[in-house]
Amino acid sequence: MLVNLVPSAMDFTTRPKPRVEPKKTAPIAPDAIDPVTRTTISLEYASLRHRDHCPLGRLPRMYVVPSPESLLVWDCVFFVHQGYYADAILKFRLTFPTNYPESPPVVQFVTDVVFHPLISHSGIFNLAPRFRPWRPKEHRVFDVLHWIKAAFKKHALDEIRESDCLNKEAYRLYHETTSSFAGLASQSSLLSQSAPALFDRDHPTLKGKPRDALPFRELAPDQLQTMRTKLGLKEWQEEPQQS
């Protein structure tokens, strides 16, 4: 199942290094949110447990949790397992408008910097190629999550129009010098796995910035082994080489 609903006390989560932090706004009290919007968002979050609402996959690929400050903000982390962005750990935020579902949520990646045709330098992700136009009675959050996952695959990259691209250079390289695009996409993946991106350990650029609902923390070797044993995970072993 692609999306897993994560409890707030998750043991292994991240606060990455964002290039541009999403705008800081005062928390909206639950009573201030329109009842229809509040009910719709709550039901859609609960529905993510439904198997048919998640892309099929052997491994969990996305975690989603509402911000403790506002139901209108969801923090998400996406693990990419294949393609140009293989092994990337990408964090993004869904921000719902107060008139949702009449208008779509805003998607902003906070992992610094994802080299992708549909992602701007500030992390904004363009939903338009999939939702043209947004239909409030038809489109739901799980459709958005499906599109985010699909957008990192080759078939989606092949079909993206230049007019929809927020990063024109990524689009140009993908179509003219694929090897250069692949190198920069791989670099994005490597940077997303770095300690400064994953952990807020002595990272000066994170001072004064709000914590999201999915902070990663680094485990000591003994803590990691205890966690692996608890989860029933086996140690990785190299296969013997054949002579």
Side-chain angles (χ1 to χ4, degrees):
M1 186 169 74
L2 173 73
V3 179
N4 292 268
L5 308 186
V6 182
S8 58
M10 190 174 180
D11 279 329
F12 60 95
T13 36
T14 284
R15 184 164 59 117
K17 171 193 171 186
R19 181 186 180 105
V20 177
E21 187 73 15
K23 290 183 179 180
K24 242 179 171 179
T25 55
I28 300 176
D31 293 342
I33 302 175
D34 180 82
V36 173
T37 298
R38 182 171 65 248
T39 300
T40 301
I41 294 175
S42 298
L43 289 175
E44 290 202 34
Y45 183 71
S47 77
L48 294 180
R49 290 186 179 275
H50 197 291
R51 184 174 181 273
D52 292 340
H53 287 186
C54 302
L56 295 177
R58 187 170 57 85
L59 298 171
R61 296 171 185 260
M62 208 175 275
Y63 293 90
V64 180
V65 63
S67 166
E69 297 181 352
S70 174
L71 182 63
L72 298 180
V73 177
W74 292 6
D75 289 311
C76 316
V77 60
F78 175 31
F79 296 84
V80 184
H81 294 288
Q82 300 178 44
Y84 294 111
Y85 302 89
D87 299 324
I89 304 172
L90 306 176
K91 292 195 68 179
F92 63 93
R93 174 168 287 182
L94 293 178
T95 303
F96 295 88
T98 54
N99 69 337
Y100 184 83
E102 295 303 316
S103 299
V106 173
V107 178
Q108 182 171 13
F109 279 79
V110 294
T111 297
D112 178 38
V113 167
V114 187
F115 189 75
H116 189 286
L118 296 179
I119 301 176
S120 72
H121 291 294
S122 63
I124 296 296
F125 176 80
N126 191 5
L127 293 175
R130 171 62 178 81
F131 305 98
R132 200 192 317 269
W134 173 266
R135 298 183 178 89
K137 294 183 179 180
E138 176 183 338
H139 296 140
R140 297 290 182 264
V141 173
F142 61 82
D143 295 310
V144 173
L145 297 176
H146 271 268
W147 170 232
I148 293 171
K149 175 193 173 186
F152 285 83
K153 295 183 176 181
K154 185 179 185 303
H155 70 82
L157 290 166
D158 288 343
E159 297 174 0
I160 293 172
R161 304 179 188 174
E162 184 175 8
S163 58
D164 287 326
C165 293
L166 302 181
N167 186 331
K168 304 292 187 183
E169 181 66 9
Y171 175 86
R172 184 185 67 79
L173 286 179
Y174 182 77
H175 289 279
E176 297 180 7
T177 316
T178 307
S179 60
S180 296
F181 173 86
L184 289 169
S186 179
Q187 185 178 51
S188 290
S189 174
L190 290 173
L191 289 173
S192 75
Q193 302 168 47
S194 66
L198 290 177
F199 312 114
D200 57 347
R201 181 183 60 198
D202 301 324
H203 203 293
T205 63
L206 296 175
K207 291 182 179 179
K209 293 183 178 179
R211 290 184 177 273
D212 59 43
L214 287 170
F216 274 54
R217 67 182 179 88
E218 195 168 13
L219 298 178
D222 59 327
Q223 293 176 310
L224 180 59
Q225 183 57 49
T226 299
M227 182 65 67
R228 292 179 64 88
T229 301
K230 182 178 179 180
L231 296 175
L233 299 177
K234 296 181 180 180
E235 293 290 343
W236 179 84
Q237 296 180 344
E238 290 188 6
E239 295 185 1
Q241 294 183 354
Q242 296 182 355
S243 57

